[in-house]
Amino acid sequence: MQKSVELTGIGKGFGADDVLKNIDLSVKPGEFLSLVGMSGCGKSTLLRIIAGLERPDRGSVAIGGADVTELDPSARNLAMVFQSYALYPHMSVRQNIATPLRMRRLSLASRLPLIGALAASAEVLREINKSVEQAAETLHISHLLDRKPAQLSGGQRQRVALARALVRSPAAFLMDEPLSNLDAKLRAHMRNELAALHRRLGATFIYVTHDQTEAMTMSDRIALMSEGRIEQLGTPSELYEHPATLTVARFIGTPSINLVPVEVLPNGSVSLFGQALGLAAAGHNAGPATLGVRAEDVSITPEGLPLRVQRTETHGADRFVHGHLQADEALPVTFRLSIGAPVAVNSDDVIYVSFPPERAHLFGRDGSRLAAFPTDRVAA
Amino acid sequence: MARVRQFLPHLVLGAGAFIVLLPFYWMFLTSIRSPAEIFDVSLWPIPKQFDMAVNYERAASQVPMMRFMLNGLIVCLGILIVQVATAVPAAYALAKLNFPGRKLLLTLVIAALCVPIQALALPLFVGLAKLDLLNTYFAMMAPFFLSVFAIFLFHQSFRSYPDEIIEAARMDGFSEMEICWGLVLRGSLPSLAAFSVFSVVAHWNDLYWPMIVVTDINLAPPPLGMLFFSDVESGANYGALMAGAALITAPMIVCFLLARRHFIAGITMTGVK
């Protein structure tokens, strides 16, 4: 089942602080949307508002076109996977996965222990059992069905939590940092599995994470949040290629984008330590600004910006070179060097680097993106 | 030196255990001695004249011992059931629900821990008398139905229950009562065991309140029954008296031994002693 999720004008405050400020967000049916941001940016609160665990102070939540703002969590037909997995500790894996179905299909009397076995219809119980086994098979945990959560590893608990979520075909899946308690290798593996699960189910996923790699690798679209606002909403490549603000540029991409202070001259041209960069800012934006360049856009050239190499970092196919601009020792610059490049780079070498001006991102003093275009001059 | 350090704690604990267990041992010893030896200070376990059968037979036949035990059982279970039924939802609400005034209510609960039953005895007695409820099981149980100690103990234990599981349960459609009894209390069984031991032992051994509200020997719980017993005997036969005391203590010892592991887990986990 796939349903859209629409948030309109959501606001929420705790005490004097506004945690969420007027959030509008529309998640399409079947979409994998990630909410990313630093801790405290409001992404978890937003997810909890969608789930119904938290009431917004303002605004409304609609699922599949129907307003659910006033509905209890269980009436919204959403499934949530929690960071701690939140499995019921006294139940076996089988009972854990069956619980969402039992709560929906069985009456209160038939859920009671002992008496329940008599009151519940055998037909319904058979159906539930079948759904449980299907869900377990999907996540490869059929052999664990009779264990208790305490006997499982972190990765296995994660799978049980996912099975419990998908067993009842919810309108949408909500995930609150579900991979953050796993070790790095398992995390990468589960990332692939989650993406595959999303493709197979075709369901709507809303995924909260502080890890930009998770968001970049799995999402159809990313909503990057900061201080209770959505800074930018777009596909992973839009956020990477055209960050709308300095915050987005900083957050997305590993290694982090290189940021250097530049000056926009009254004639619009951008200069770095007095050198023209071959880039001009549109409009009247004279004054200090920030230039962002991705590591892979920087290359070693016969002439350009002098850089003192600090260390190199080998990542298999890639090498990253970390250094400082000579003009300002406090400014770290990192760039990527393909392993194939026949360049020997050693610590304390002074090398010259440059970048194509059209690959640079220019941000004004308030952090918003400034339109810029390359001039015909060669990049310094 | 290392050996001393190893044995010293055991020595201290052993001394403590000796002091605690001595009265029980003395009670048992007296209950198997003949009247002639009662005032003998020797702690030697084998009496010169073995009077166990006589004393116990007398304790069991002179007064309706079974009746006292049954009364004790009814009172203790009645109190315990109502205490748990009221304290568990209250503790759940105080520990896990957000509502205005929660902190104030919790403060009141803790403040109420400081009020002794003796302070309330007179108004309670007058109230029960006006309602014509003296000499009933209800009169013996009613003042203890609402236990702030239970609310406090369960609150301490429920607080550590993971919020995410409660939220997962809400999304799955559990009602708050199902969460409270089926999940949260389920995760705090050691506290329930600890509280049950506290409550049952306290009310089984209580002499003060039953003595105030009950004069009918047919309603007397064990300690009050023993009092009637010693009155009948004018305190002359200590051997039989101690045999009676041993008989009424035995269920509590069994009860504690059964719940021992949970009891210890319950008090160490919740930080209540």
Side-chain angles (χ1 to χ4, degrees):
Chain A
M1 214 194 304
Q2 12 173 285
K3 292 265 177 76
S4 63
V5 176
E6 304 269 347
L7 303 177
T8 323
I10 295 288
K12 174 83 183 170
F14 289 111
D17 292 338
D18 260 357
V19 180
L20 294 173
K21 298 159 189 159
N22 206 25
I23 301 265
D24 292 306
L25 179 66
S26 159
V27 186
K28 296 175 211 148
E31 186 177 31
F32 194 128
L33 183 122
S34 293
L35 298 170
V36 288
M38 312 285 251
S39 54
C41 71
K43 56 191 191 300
S44 285
T45 309
L46 190 62
L47 192 76
R48 291 164 56 79
I49 285 175
I50 299 173
L53 296 169
E54 210 79 73
R55 286 279 154 95
D57 297 339
R58 297 175 295 281
S60 67
V61 181
I63 296 170
D67 190 325
V68 298
T69 318
E70 297 300 319
L71 288 187
D72 282 336
S74 60
R76 300 185 179 198
N77 191 27
L78 300 169
M80 186 144 164
V81 177
F82 293 86
Q83 187 173 3
S84 66
Y85 320 133
L87 302 177
Y88 304 120
H90 63 282
M91 296 185 191
S92 69
V93 169
R94 184 188 300 277
Q95 288 165 328
N96 259 290
I97 303 174
T99 298
L101 293 179
R102 291 173 59 87
M103 298 310 293
R104 275 180 168 65
R105 301 218 193 132
L106 301 180
S107 65
L108 178 63
S110 47
R111 293 204 300 265
L112 292 173
L114 304 177
I115 319 162
L118 304 170
S121 127
E123 179 66 24
V124 174
L125 289 180
R126 247 200 315 279
E127 274 175 33
I128 290 177
N129 205 28
K130 205 171 140 222
S131 310
V132 169
E133 276 169 12
Q134 267 173 1
E137 209 162 299
T138 310
L139 287 149
H140 316 292
I141 48 169
S142 302
H143 59 295
L144 302 174
L145 280 174
D146 295 314
R147 296 216 199 150
K148 289 276 174 71
Q151 299 167 295
L152 303 179
S153 69
Q156 289 168 333
R157 284 182 210 181
Q158 175 67 73
R159 283 164 192 276
V160 176
L162 282 170
R164 188 176 65 178
L166 67 85
V167 72
R168 62 185 163 91
S169 320
F173 288 89
L174 310 180
M175 308 208 174
D176 190 2
E177 311 222 6
L179 305 185
S180 59
N181 285 347
L182 303 179
D183 63 63
K185 197 161 183 181
L186 197 53
R187 192 152 57 213
H189 178 74
M190 284 307 289
R191 231 161 41 207
N192 286 333
E193 282 210 25
L194 270 180
L197 191 67
H198 173 246
R199 272 197 307 278
R200 188 157 24 145
L201 298 174
T204 312
F205 276 49
I206 302 176
Y207 188 99
V208 163
T209 180
H210 65 269
D211 180 349
Q212 58 97 23
T213 318
E214 279 178 23
M216 293 292 278
T217 49
M218 292 190 288
S219 324
D220 296 322
R221 283 195 302 162
I222 296 175
L224 196 144
M225 295 183 64
S226 168
E227 291 173 1
R229 285 197 186 83
I230 294 182
E231 289 272 320
Q232 190 174 2
L233 173 67
T235 64
S237 60
E238 274 168 15
L239 263 67
Y240 191 78
E241 304 281 344
H242 301 285
T245 64
L246 198 52
T247 314
V248 177
R250 271 206 193 101
F251 196 84
I252 300 288
T254 37
S256 299
I257 195 167
N258 297 302
L259 295 171
V260 286
V262 290
E263 185 80 20
V264 178
L265 303 175
N267 68 2
S269 83
V270 178
S271 94
L272 172 63
F273 307 123
Q275 272 185 299
L277 286 173
L279 194 70
H284 302 285
N285 289 305
T290 306
L291 191 80
V293 189
R294 297 272 177 211
E296 65 270 25
D297 294 327
V298 180
S299 51
I300 300 180
T301 44
E303 54 181 17
L305 295 166
L307 183 90
R308 183 178 293 280
V309 175
Q310 206 174 25
R311 64 194 172 89
T312 61
E313 205 177 76
T314 307
H315 287 247
D318 294 321
R319 259 186 303 167
F320 291 104
V321 179
H322 300 272
H324 293 291
L325 285 182
Q326 269 206 323
D328 184 348
E329 291 285 328
L331 271 183
V333 167
T334 302
F335 67 94
R336 190 176 73 176
L337 205 56
S338 173
I339 201 86
V343 195
V345 178
N346 299 310
S347 295
D348 278 340
D349 283 0
V350 175
I351 54 173
Y352 294 92
V353 295
S354 64
F355 51 88
E358 68 274 12
R359 302 291 300 167
H361 310 280
L362 190 65
F363 301 98
R365 256 173 305 177
D366 61 350
S368 65
R369 188 184 182 88
L370 298 181
F373 52 88
T375 56
D376 288 326
R377 271 163 291 169
V378 181
Chain B
M1 196 60 206
R3 285 185 78 88
V4 174
R5 286 178 70 146
Q6 205 177 352
F7 284 112
L8 195 66
H10 291 276
L11 211 69
V12 173
L13 289 173
F18 177 77
I19 292 168
V20 170
L21 291 177
L22 184 63
F24 288 93
Y25 176 67
W26 206 319
M27 172 181 80
F28 181 72
L29 205 59
T30 311
S31 78
I32 61 174
R33 279 176 168 172
S34 66
E37 288 177 72
I38 292 286
F39 295 103
D40 201 337
V41 289
S42 146
L43 287 177
W44 182 246
I46 303 156
K48 287 180 210 102
Q49 196 193 337
F50 201 67
D51 256 7
M52 184 172 180
V54 180
N55 286 337
Y56 279 84
E57 202 250 302
R58 194 157 186 172
S61 61
Q62 193 95 29
V63 287
M65 192 57 83
M66 287 314 286
R67 179 79 216 176
F68 296 159
M69 296 254 198
L70 179 69
N71 291 339
L73 195 69
I74 291 170
V75 170
C76 285
L77 278 185
I79 291 172
L80 181 65
I81 288 167
V82 181
Q83 277 178 336
V84 171
T86 50
V88 166
Y92 171 68
L94 289 173
K96 289 296 179 192
L97 302 182
N98 268 318
F99 56 90
R102 179 170 80 148
K103 283 217 174 101
L104 179 70
L105 283 176
L106 190 61
T107 313
L108 285 176
V109 165
I110 292 166
L113 278 173
C114 309
V115 181
I117 174 76
Q118 286 79 1
L120 304 173
L122 194 60
L124 281 169
F125 176 80
V126 173
L128 288 166
K130 292 253 183 210
L131 293 170
D132 211 8
L133 284 170
L134 292 180
N135 269 323
T136 58
Y137 286 125
F138 182 80
M140 280 190 280
M141 296 190 280
F144 309 105
F145 279 161
L146 303 180
S147 164
V148 281
F149 174 67
I151 295 175
F152 179 67
L153 185 111
F154 287 131
H155 169 265
Q156 295 300 93
S157 152
F158 290 179
R159 226 170 30 165
S160 63
Y161 197 82
D163 286 327
E164 289 199 337
I165 297 182
I166 294 176
E167 288 175 346
R170 284 194 189 130
M171 297 205 65
D172 279 346
F174 282 79
S175 67
E176 290 299 316
M177 277 298 175
E178 282 175 287
I179 293 174
C180 171
W181 294 97
L183 294 177
V184 180
L185 181 64
R186 189 85 186 235
S188 301
L189 288 183
S191 308
L192 181 62
F195 175 70
S196 302
V197 170
F198 275 129
S199 167
V200 170
V201 169
H203 297 294
W204 182 270
N205 291 337
D206 188 20
L207 174 64
Y208 176 79
W209 187 250
M211 201 163 78
I212 291 176
V213 291
V214 168
T215 48
D216 183 350
I217 192 164
N218 284 319
L219 290 174
L224 188 61
M226 290 304 296
L227 200 66
F228 289 136
F229 180 40
S230 60
D231 277 347
V232 170
E233 291 288 308
S234 342
N237 193 337
Y238 287 111
L241 195 62
M242 286 302 123
L247 282 177
I248 66 169
T249 314
M252 288 305 99
I253 293 174
V254 172
C255 164
F256 174 74
L257 288 179
L258 286 178
R260 185 175 55 114
R261 188 174 304 159
H262 293 306
F263 177 77
I264 291 167
I267 50 175
T268 48
M269 247 173 28
T270 55
V272 173
K273 271 196 289 189

